[in-house]
Amino acid sequence: MFWLVEEENQFQLFEKLHHNKAFVEVIPYDNREHPTVNKICAVYIHPLNTAKGFILPTSHSETLELDINNITRVLNNINTIYVRDKKEFFHYFPQKGVYDINLNTPPYIQEFTQTHNIFYQRYPHYDNINTIIPIVKHYEYCENLYNNLKDKINEPINDFYNNKATMVFNALERSGIHINREEFKSHFHDVSRDTIYTQYNFKTLTTRPSNKFKGVNYAALNKENGCRKSFIPKNDNLIEIDIGAYHPTLLAKLINYDFGKKDIHQAFAEMYGVEYKKAKELTFKQLYGGVFEKYKDLEFFKKVQVYTDDMWSKFQNEGFIECPISKHKFENKKLHDMKPQKLLNYLLQNLETSYNICILWDIIKLLKNKKTKLILYTYDSFLFDFDKSEKALYKEIISLFDSYKLQTKISYGKTYDFR
């Protein structure tokens, strides 16, 4: 059977094969465009029981076109689908039985053919670039992709990241952020829409997600240069919920230390005998750089030291530590230049992300079919595009954070510049 399935008789023959397991890659109109607003040029399907894969085109200048509904039907009949990036794949096909085989760090970086790169450089503003790149080059790219990733198919797949993380970040990306187009253009780049889309990557070394797209780092927007005025509500107000003293809170959970209902930084201020602002500075220096001799006998830091020593011993003797909630494993053989404090920081970043994924999951369920949307998440803050007709939601959202025993601070305004 030929690798290109474009005619009806070829498609019928392909469909009759009823493949049980397959690797699938979507070829969009343009790899440089966000998948939320992209279209499908073709779909590559490589059944695991065949020596080669197949291209099923839906819109390409060199081929006949297959109905996307027929391709969807084929995918529905495959019991197990393996993909390079499930979060991205779900923007096109929200199928059951999909497994991301690229969850382990370091993440796989797509390598396009030289022909792809030439076309991308020659036509930087052509929206449908993949529809004119030779179809055989798409096939070459996909075959190389499969050969580079096929060994990962048999690796254990982390259920937390494959399902929960993928779903929440896919949902977040689909929400989009409403913008003042002129303001956005003055700080970032030109846009043709009033909505921009972010792109989360949780396949990082510490599993703490980055969030960049088209040169904009949405995880670290400048708070001083006015760029945040670019982001405005589509509804009535932007509301941001910040989690206070997040890492100290998480560390307290790990070591079973109870701050009670007291403001955590105030509790540290009283321990140190200093002012509130100075206490914050001292605490974060010790969390990320090690406990100061002066404070090593405080109960909190004594417990931290015991926990750190036990964690490091396990890491050295057993070769890994397993993170709470996510069950992600930091493996000695995959990490370099590790020290006890650095490993603790990795663990805290993973735990922060895991808590946030659970919170995001609950929020997204709460906001289903609502006008209010969760539009941005950055480490310890959650940004909502809030509709004032849904006032009752505000209390429900705050209660949700309270249920995780987290201290929060609220900011709001008509732009994201809350100063």
Side-chain angles (χ1 to χ4, degrees), residues 208 242-253 259 264-265 284 287-288 325 348-360 377-382 401 404-407:
R208 196 185 204 196
D242 283 303
I243 299 172
Y246 206 175
H247 280 193
T249 300
L250 295 176
L251 189 50
K253 291 177 185 292
F259 285 101
I264 290 175
H265 289 305
F284 286 118
L287 284 186
Y288 306 130
I325 302 177
L348 285 174
Q349 289 187 46
N350 179 277
L351 187 59
E352 169 203 276
T353 303
S354 301
Y355 259 87
N356 288 341
I357 288 170
C358 294
I359 293 167
L360 290 166
Y377 142 71
T378 52
Y379 309 145
D380 60 358
S381 67
F382 300 73
F401 283 91
Y404 284 90
K405 297 182 179 178
L406 298 170
Q407 298 178 359

Side-chain angles (χ1 to χ4, degrees), residues 103-114:
L103 289 171
N104 296 326
T105 55
Y108 176 79
I109 299 173
Q110 290 173 270
E111 295 182 11
F112 295 105
T113 68
Q114 185 176 359

Side-chain angles (χ1 to χ4, degrees), residues 318-331:
E318 299 182 26
F320 71 94
I321 59 165
E322 184 177 273
C323 300
I325 302 177
S326 71
K327 305 305 178 185
H328 176 77
K329 291 181 179 180
F330 286 118
E331 298 180 53

Side-chain angles (χ1 to χ4, degrees), residues 269-307:
E270 293 172 9
M271 287 185 210
Y272 305 142
V274 300
E275 294 182 353
Y276 189 92
K277 185 177 180 181
K278 182 65 176 177
K280 288 179 69 173
E281 178 188 328
L282 286 171
T283 300
F284 286 118
K285 281 183 177 179
Q286 293 178 93
L287 284 186
Y288 306 130
V291 180
F292 296 165
E293 184 71 21
K294 185 177 181 180
Y295 303 118
K296 68 177 185 179
D297 292 327
L298 293 174
E299 183 187 356
F300 178 84
F301 289 115
K302 283 200 289 187
K303 287 192 170 188
V304 169
Q305 193 61 56
V306 170
Y307 184 89

